[in-house]
Amino acid sequence: MPNSNAKLHSNHRGGREASRRELVSRSLQSAQHCLENQDFGTAYAHYLLVLNLAPELKTTVKETFQFTLFKWAEELDSLARIQDLFNCYEQALELYPNDEVICNSMGEHLFRMGFRDEAAGYFHKAVKLNPDFADAKENFYRVANWLVERWHFIMLNDARRNLTYLRAIENAVLSGSKSVLDIGTGTGILSMFAKKAGASSVYACELSKTMYELARDVVAANNMEREIKLLHLKSLDIEIPKHIPERVSLVVTETVDAGLFGEGIVESLIHAWEHLLLQPK
């Protein structure tokens, strides 16, 4: 009897496997037929079914799936079905989370729709996945020109200004300010000044996704990724101990530019003084 039951279970599993293979085969055929008739939406749906039923085929159908996705996304874009377009890309990235071509394409759609900061994130991820991907690099540099304000470059090349900041931070740290918060860190230069000056704890926040990613790269390139805690947050949203474990003894910022009030820096500094900065005894 036990042998009979085992045989029944084996036959049942074999039947389910045969049914799966048959459904996958038919769906592939249907997808190909839809592509020939330029019915990209239906073809995309068939490929989703195939990839969910047979993930072992991901490599085999990858290029055709990408082609189908991009064609269907173009149609959705032309019909202003924006949410459906984003849903398709989310589904695709669940199946191929490390595909630089899909990331780059998603970024292109976001950029055209005006979501430049979000687009930069996808372009940056694509370049990270494949540093030789020329289209993604070009797209990332293009969107960076929109997002990285010109004054960042001016400040970074202002040696006298930077030296003044460095000396001021060094003096503060040597005077006992060992924990530092850098508001609107940008490229992370002030955070690195603080760490090099001897601060034991350095925290930095940056609201712009593009600048946050740039700061991560710059800090990592200087081997400080474990010594400086970067937060993709507005300073007003920082909570203790949720985001940083302590009140800091020094707050630094370089956000005093033409956008002084537009960036809310006054409110940020008041918030930092009241909630994040150690109060004098």
Side-chain angles (χ1 to χ4, degrees):
M1 188 65 113
N3 289 337
S4 177
N5 287 337
K7 186 175 181 181
L8 284 173
H9 284 302
S10 177
N11 289 338
H12 183 61
R13 286 196 300 270
R16 283 190 302 177
E17 178 60 22
S19 297
R20 184 186 72 90
R21 288 198 301 265
E22 178 66 19
L23 182 55
V24 168
S25 177
R26 289 185 179 183
S27 293
L28 284 172
Q29 292 174 9
S30 297
Q32 188 59 43
H33 178 73
C34 290
L35 285 178
E36 291 170 359
N37 290 287
Q38 298 189 349
D39 183 0
F40 300 114
T42 307
Y44 175 77
H46 280 298
Y47 277 119
L48 279 185
L49 177 62
V50 168
L51 290 168
N52 279 287
L53 286 174
E56 68 273 13
L57 294 179
K58 281 184 179 180
T59 302
T60 305
V61 303
K62 180 178 176 179
E63 289 187 9
T64 310
F65 174 76
Q66 288 175 343
F67 172 80
T68 306
L69 167 67
F70 300 155
K71 286 294 185 181
W72 179 225
E74 287 176 9
E75 283 192 23
L76 292 172
D77 194 6
S78 68
L79 296 169
R81 292 172 56 183
I82 306 306
Q83 190 57 56
D84 289 335
L85 185 153
F86 287 153
N87 289 342
C88 287
Y89 273 97
E90 287 176 2
Q91 292 167 339
L93 287 169
E94 285 181 6
L95 293 165
Y96 296 96
N98 296 317
D99 188 287
E100 70 273 19
V101 179
I102 295 176
C103 286
N104 183 65
S105 180
M106 176 66 158
E108 289 176 337
H109 281 287
L110 287 166
F111 184 77
R112 285 197 295 270
M113 293 173 192
F115 300 108
R116 291 170 181 151
D117 206 25
E118 292 82 354
Y122 281 97
F123 293 145
H124 184 263
K125 182 178 179 180
V127 173
K128 282 284 192 180
L129 290 167
N130 182 1
D132 297 323
F133 189 6
D135 287 349
K137 286 197 290 187
E138 181 179 344
N139 284 331
F140 181 69
Y141 295 144
R142 178 162 57 107
V143 74
N145 284 331
W146 286 90
L147 293 171
V148 181
E149 295 88 342
R150 298 299 95 194
W151 54 267
H152 269 294
F153 299 109
I154 295 172
M155 287 194 303
L156 288 173
N157 287 285
D158 189 339
R160 184 176 179 181
R161 175 191 175 104
N162 292 335
L163 184 59
T164 301
Y165 266 104
L166 175 60
R167 286 174 176 168
I169 291 171
E170 285 177 339
N171 288 337
V173 172
L174 290 173
S175 297
S177 298
K178 296 298 184 180
S179 54
V180 180
L181 172 64
D182 180 5
I183 295 177
T185 192
T187 58
I189 187 170
L190 298 189
S191 295
M192 291 188 290
F193 283 172
K195 196 63 195 178
K196 288 182 178 179
S200 56
S201 303
V202 179
Y203 313 101
C205 64
E206 175 58 55
L207 182 59
S208 166
K209 178 68 172 175
T210 303
M211 294 307 300
Y212 167 74
E213 294 289 354
L214 179 60
R216 287 182 61 185
D217 288 346
V218 172
V219 168
N222 285 273
N223 299 314
M224 292 187 181
E225 64 270 30
R226 295 185 178 181
E227 300 175 354
I228 297 173
K229 183 174 182 178
L230 288 166
L231 302 166
H232 180 215
L233 282 174
K234 190 174 183 179
S235 62
L236 294 171
D237 296 329
I238 296 177
E239 298 177 15
I240 298 172
K242 181 178 179 181
H243 301 113
I244 61 176
E246 61 184 332
R247 282 179 175 261
V248 298
S249 51
L250 177 66
V251 171
V252 296
T253 184
E254 221 176 3
T255 51
V256 183
D257 71 287
L260 175 64
F261 297 102
E263 292 293 334
I265 188 60
V266 174
E267 292 85 352
S268 295
L269 291 175
I270 292 173
H271 175 78
W273 171 260
E274 293 179 345
H275 302 285
L276 306 175
L277 193 64
L278 284 169
Q279 299 299 316
K281 296 179 180 179

